[in-house]
Amino acid sequence: MKIVKMKNKSLILFFILSLTSLWPQTLLMAESLASKLRGRILIDVESHGEAWYVNPSNLQRYYLGRPSDAFSIMHQLGLGISNKDFDSFAGTAPSRLSGKILLKPEDLGKAYYVNPLDLKMHYLGRPADAFALMRRFGLGITSNNLAQLPIYGGSNQVVSTQMERNIADLINQERTSRGLQPLKWNEEIAVSARQHSIDQARQNSELINQSKLCSYPFIHHEGIDSGIYQSERLNSKGVYYFSASAENIALIPGISGAEYTGNVASMNCQEQLNQLNSSFQTRVKSTTDEQLKIQMVIKEISNRKELLNLSSSINIIKTFYNSSLEVEKQAVSGWMNSPGHRQNILTPDYDEAGIGIAEVKGYYIITQVFIKRAACGYQGGSCCTKPNYLPYCYIPLGCVSNVCK
């Protein structure tokens, strides 16, 4: 029998390894609150007033974002119903449909929201109408309570929003202790950060196997699904109102150590992983060609799949975990001990941020994105002016009649 202990240490710039677990009590509390709020529209009263929908089918919350986003989500989650059944309700749905979205495929796909308070069915209409109705029925909720509800992450990857908020608080403690203003939480930025974490969690699903001696998880800033740079990923989520941005990423194993049996050769998995990460960073920094960077990421994933297949199999007898509180502290301390991460956290100009976490096979991928909010030059805002320069907007927008479009 052999005991393996996984060590916490900074890997290289932008990469942190630490440990995590979620306590069952926390999950039960979240499930209880979600059950009480099933089907409700929630408004975060302590942030920017973001709206969320708690899907009664899986008790996960969905970010409604802009009118078009809300309209799209409502239709994606809609339950088809015939005109005959719909008409039989006479305006009031049965309790089993409380909080659901009903779609009428026989009537041009019209959508209706069943208000959990009175079971009345409300027509959603156009995107702007649906968005206004959703907010009208919204229930105010604090950021802390909202963070207890799991967010739908797609592909069965549900993120821990309580950890997101806790890490954000620790980051702000680092800033305020040095006389800097705290970063304001921005849910739109968090949505972009979560998507990057989710994309990488999906990529890592074939790089991690707890029954192997070594796994080869891989995180990177270069996105191959939602935009290669964080600025592009922000733009893809409708975030244009910034003049500067930055990103930190951390990879968090949920297992601190294990007892296992098996005749395996001695191997320092962490050292091998460090070498792989260092080699990749050297190669990807050697080029500015975006397509080449993406090809490097894809090739690296393929190479690590092969290494995982070659790794020796083990029989795990017992697994050891660390608490989520320790994880949060280790992630932030790791960032603070890494020059690049530290600079992002302590840059005075950054005033808003969001954090997104995704889980894959016992690992947590944490992405934090920072921005400097623009006073001008963003979509729908006025054009910026500077002496001896023409009015301008931040890329990819253009200045039309002093409005950025």
Side-chain angles (χ1 to χ4, degrees):
M1 180 179 294
K2 186 175 183 179
I3 298 179
V4 178
K5 290 291 183 181
M6 301 171 67
K7 298 180 180 179
N8 295 334
K9 61 186 296 185
S10 172
L11 295 180
I12 54 176
L13 187 62
F14 303 119
F15 293 82
I16 302 296
L17 283 181
S18 54
L19 310 163
T20 190
S21 67
L22 291 176
W23 295 113
Q25 182 180 4
T26 302
L27 296 178
L28 288 174
M29 290 174 59
E31 183 177 353
S32 175
L33 181 60
S35 296
K36 294 178 181 178
L37 298 174
R38 64 171 67 233
R40 296 299 301 271
I41 306 299
L42 306 177
I43 307 295
D44 189 343
V45 297
E46 295 180 341
S47 187
H48 294 279
E50 296 91 346
W52 299 83
Y53 170 62
V54 181
N55 186 356
S57 298
N58 60 15
L59 300 184
Q60 296 172 19
R61 58 183 166 114
Y62 294 67
Y63 181 52
L64 297 181
R66 290 169 168 74
S68 59
D69 301 325
F71 192 73
S72 175
I73 288 174
M74 294 297 102
H75 277 75
Q76 290 174 17
L77 301 179
L79 175 67
I81 187 170
S82 67
N83 286 350
K84 180 179 179 181
D85 287 341
F86 183 87
D87 293 340
S88 70
F89 299 155
T92 302
S95 59
R96 60 183 172 83
L97 298 178
S98 174
K100 289 186 176 291
I101 308 298
L102 304 181
L103 294 179
K104 299 176 66 180
E106 299 172 347
D107 189 11
L108 303 177
K110 291 181 179 179
Y112 293 79
Y113 170 61
V114 180
N115 187 354
L117 297 181
D118 57 13
L119 300 179
K120 298 295 184 182
M121 300 182 294
H122 300 270
Y123 178 49
L124 296 180
R126 298 171 300 176
D129 300 329
F131 189 70
L133 185 143
M134 293 293 100
R135 297 189 71 87
R136 178 158 61 91
F137 288 120
L139 172 68
I141 187 171
T142 65
S143 296
N144 284 337
N145 283 336
L146 185 65
Q148 296 181 38
L149 307 179
I151 294 178
Y152 174 75
S155 303
N156 298 319
Q157 295 152 347
V158 180
V159 297
S160 168
T161 55
Q162 186 61 61
M163 285 184 64
E164 292 174 357
R165 293 289 185 152
N166 291 346
I167 292 173
D169 289 342
L170 291 174
I171 293 292
N172 278 334
Q173 289 177 23
E174 295 289 350
R175 287 176 62 92
T176 56
S177 68
R178 293 167 174 80
L180 300 175
Q181 290 296 315
L183 296 165
K184 187 172 184 179
W185 180 270
N186 185 314
E187 187 58 38
E188 290 185 323
I189 298 175
V191 168
S192 176
R194 286 189 201 107
Q195 187 60 59
H196 191 49
S197 291
I198 290 169
D199 290 344
Q200 298 209 37
R202 182 171 57 252
Q203 296 164 17
N204 275 275
S205 63
E206 297 181 278
L207 305 180
I208 300 168
N209 187 337
Q210 302 295 357
S211 64
K212 292 283 191 175
L213 178 62
C214 296
S215 285
Y216 298 93
F218 175 47
I219 56 174
H220 48 90
H221 290 283
E222 298 76 21
I224 60 176
D225 297 305
S226 306
I228 187 168
Y229 303 119
Q230 81 267 358
S231 58
E232 293 181 8
R233 294 190 286 272
L234 287 168
N235 291 166
S236 72
K237 297 300 181 183
V239 180
Y240 291 93
Y241 44 80
F242 62 94
S243 56
S245 65
E247 180 181 84
N248 286 348
I249 305 179
L251 175 68
I252 315 296
I255 299 174
S256 62
E259 294 181 1
Y260 64 84
T261 60
N263 296 321
V264 295
S266 176
M267 176 179 290
N268 190 328
C269 299
Q270 186 62 63
E271 182 178 342
Q272 186 185 23
L273 191 60
N274 290 347
Q275 292 174 353
L276 288 170
N277 290 333
S278 178
S279 175
F280 171 78
Q281 282 297 300
T282 299
R283 284 182 279 113
V284 81
K285 288 180 179 179
S286 67
T287 180
T288 58
D289 187 291
E290 295 182 4
Q291 289 303 315
L292 184 56
K293 286 178 181 286
I294 292 175
Q295 291 173 14
M296 288 180 176
V297 170
I298 295 173
K299 184 177 181 180
E300 185 70 16
I301 293 172
S302 177
N303 289 342
R304 296 193 186 206
K305 285 181 185 178
E306 294 181 10
L307 288 173
L308 182 64
N309 290 333
L310 295 174
S311 182
S312 301
S313 297
I314 58 175
N315 179 32
I316 295 179
I317 299 174
K318 187 176 182 180
T319 304
F320 304 94
Y321 299 90
N322 277 10
S323 71
S324 58
L325 178 60
E326 291 173 310
V327 173
E328 294 153 7
K329 290 182 177 180
Q330 290 169 5
V332 175
S333 65
W335 278 338
M336 290 300 294
N337 288 322
S338 170
H341 292 104
R342 182 185 179 90
Q343 180 178 347
N344 289 339
I345 290 171
L346 300 181
T347 295
D349 284 349
Y350 294 142
D351 47 20
E352 297 186 19
I355 296 174
I357 303 177
E359 185 273 342
V360 55
K361 294 186 176 180
Y363 281 75
Y364 291 83
I365 297 175
I366 302 175
T367 302
Q368 180 172 28
V369 177
F370 309 80
I371 71 163
K372 176 183 179 182
R373 180 176 275 269
C376 59
Y378 56 89
Q379 190 172 36
S382 62
C383 302
C384 299
T385 58
K386 185 182 294 186
N388 301 321
Y389 285 86
L390 294 173
Y392 67 93
C393 301
Y394 294 109
I395 296 174
L397 306 175
C399 185
V400 180
S401 300
N402 201 38
V403 176
C404 294
K405 298 182 179 180

